[in-house]
Amino acid sequence: MAPAYKLTYFAVKALGEPIRFLLHYGNIEFEDYRFENENWPEIKPHMPFGQTPSIAICRYLAKKVKLAGANDLEDLEIDAIVDTINDLRLKIATYHYETDEGIKESSKKTLLEETIPYYLTRLEAIVKKNNGHLAVGKLTWADVYFVALLDYLDSMMKINLITDSPNLQVLQKNVLNLPGIKEWVAKRPVTKY
Amino acid sequence: MAPAYKLTYFAVKALGEPIRFLLHYGNIEFEDYRFENENWPEIKPHMPFGQTPSIAICRYLAKKVKLAGANDLEDLEIDAIVDTINDLRLKIATYHYETDEGIKESSKKTLLEETIPYYLTRLEAIVKKNNGHLAVGKLTWADVYFVALLDYLDSMMKINLITDSPNLQVLQKNVLNLPGIKEWVAKRPVTKY
């Protein structure tokens, strides 16, 4: 029988990787369909809004693999931190994909000196006081989302974002050791992002 | 007894208004705490990440007031369209709050000629084939979110975004006539955004 799910994404980790992490964690079979950049123009018109709704898909899969909250209030806490991580991702991506070199340099400075320290200090403090997790004191898809996205964020900034965040480092190690995810990371295709 | 909820937001509609719409729709008592712009610097440090997690709050309230999906797949469809609306909101806000006049003019042109027609054509088509709604063929918080945000989007662009979208106009009218929301819109403070 063919897998029930097919993930259509670029041949990179980026926003596809949290989805892949959740599917592998839940031991859910799926077709990991990767297209090349040059094929994007022919695929894009078939996407409802020219892109993939990655966070909505992650939230859906999180329920399937039991990494959602135990109640509405827990889901609120998880959703808020996931949106926060995504805000940071968007700020970094806006810099990374900027084509004007002057604007890009100035954005880089703001990111390195202000934005990234601001977010990372707060995320580190949350994990420290929260039993080693980003939300509700236990493993949720917020942890998986953050760790799966980290390679992409690091690649765009050309730094290790959590180098001064020991609690986030432990979280990363723990997520990368989860059953399903550990095996996936060991065998996944090597990509730039 | 004091209301169980307190909404802390700027004295505008903007991202606070979808939250207010959902609370009023559900007849949930809340303190609508509005601060002035000049007080934001003293309030900001008390917000976990210097801002309000408005979509996460809307999703939480939607469950309380029975405007969420009936199952995980319906929630996926709702979440995807809400994220899409928020993408459009972010593109418009990026233009609106741009301080470089040259960049701002060029962003405005792209928005008016490409981005807004792209999104609005697709949203209009969805509502047309979807029983007058943005998701799952019935009233959900996606409809409320879109209509509540529309004033803000219109104000930032200084146009009526749905002027060529008859189905979105009907949706707007229907949402603005919902019990609780109708009374709220009639009495809410007049604000620029």
Side-chain angles (χ1 to χ4, degrees), chain B residues 113-191:
Chain B
E113 293 176 8
E114 296 170 29
T115 318
I116 291 176
Y118 180 92
Y119 276 83
L120 268 292
T121 304
R122 280 157 184 76
L123 293 172
E124 169 73 4
I126 287 172
V127 170
K128 187 176 180 181
K129 70 164 188 198
N130 207 10
N131 194 29
H133 295 285
L134 282 162
V136 306
K138 64 185 177 193
L139 181 71
T140 68
W141 67 283
D143 295 329
V144 175
Y145 186 80
F146 176 72
V147 173
L149 210 61
L150 205 47
D151 278 330
Y152 179 45
L153 304 183
D154 283 354
S155 302
M156 287 194 285
M157 289 309 304
K158 298 194 177 76
I159 61 165
N160 175 355
L161 264 79
I162 62 170
T163 190
D164 297 323
S165 312
N167 288 280
L168 289 171
Q169 287 171 19
V170 172
L171 174 66
Q172 182 188 39
K173 199 177 153 192
N174 290 341
V175 168
L176 294 178
N177 266 316
L178 288 171
I181 293 177
K182 185 177 180 170
E183 293 74 17
W184 165 243
V185 170
K187 74 175 184 194
R188 68 183 171 183
V190 175
T191 58

Side-chain angles (χ1 to χ4, degrees), chain A residues 125-174:
Chain A
I126 286 171
V127 170
K128 188 176 181 181
K129 71 165 187 195
N130 207 12
N131 194 29
H133 295 286
L134 282 162
V136 305
K138 64 185 177 194
L139 181 71
T140 68
W141 68 284
D143 295 329
V144 175
Y145 186 81
F146 176 71
V147 172
L149 209 62
L150 205 46
D151 278 328
Y152 178 45
L153 304 182
D154 283 355
S155 301
M156 288 194 286
M157 289 309 304
K158 298 195 176 74
I159 62 165
N160 175 354
L161 264 79
I162 61 170
T163 191
D164 296 323
S165 312
N167 287 281
L168 288 171
Q169 287 170 20
V170 172
L171 173 66
Q172 182 187 41
K173 200 176 153 193
N174 290 341

